[in-house]
Amino acid sequence: MARFKTLSSNFYISTMVEHGTLTFFLDGNQIISARDSIDSKEMIIESGGHEYQWQVNGKDGLTRYSIRMTNNGVAVPGTGVGPRTLKGGDTDFSGGEFRAS
């Protein structure tokens, strides 16, 4: 019986930002740059380790945002953000790593 190695996977991200801007990077490349909008991106990525970062800029107590990522239909751990409102400042940011298989 033949064995096949998975060389790529399906990556999906959806974002929402109200009263502000949101920028999302995957492996150092800007994937989404949005102002007051709902956006999504679906792409094929290589299997292996990947890194993501996101930043939201807006007004404390006013800007709302959410971020959802999946890899092959499964939520990337730690990336189900929001909807959330900026609290304690005008910027929020985070990042992390995941493994695509």
Side-chain angles (χ1 to χ4, degrees):
M1 175 180 250
R3 291 186 154 230
F4 297 95
K5 182 178 179 183
T6 302
L7 301 176
S8 63
S9 66
N10 185 13
F11 177 77
Y12 179 79
I13 177 163
S14 66
T15 64
M16 179 278 297
V17 62
E18 295 175 335
H19 306 293
T21 61
L22 183 147
T23 307
F24 181 86
F25 295 88
L26 180 65
D27 296 329
N29 298 310
Q30 183 175 312
I31 302 299
I32 292 177
S33 180
R35 175 183 295 275
D36 299 327
S37 66
I38 297 171
D39 294 278
S40 65
K41 176 92 174 180
E42 187 169 11
M43 55 198 291
I44 302 298
I45 59 175
E46 292 182 12
S47 62
H50 295 276
E51 183 177 89
Y52 66 90
Q53 299 89 31
W54 56 264
Q55 180 171 335
V56 175
N57 295 304
K59 298 285 185 191
D60 185 20
L62 179 65
T63 301
R64 287 179 11 108
Y65 62 96
S66 67
I67 301 167
R68 303 262 189 258
M69 288 187 282
T70 62
N71 180 53
N72 286 337
V74 178
V76 174
T79 63
V81 176
R84 183 184 288 178
T85 302
L86 282 179
K87 299 269 189 224
D90 292 339
T91 301
D92 193 8
F93 59 91
S94 187
E97 297 176 347
F98 69 97
R99 186 149 196 84
S101 55

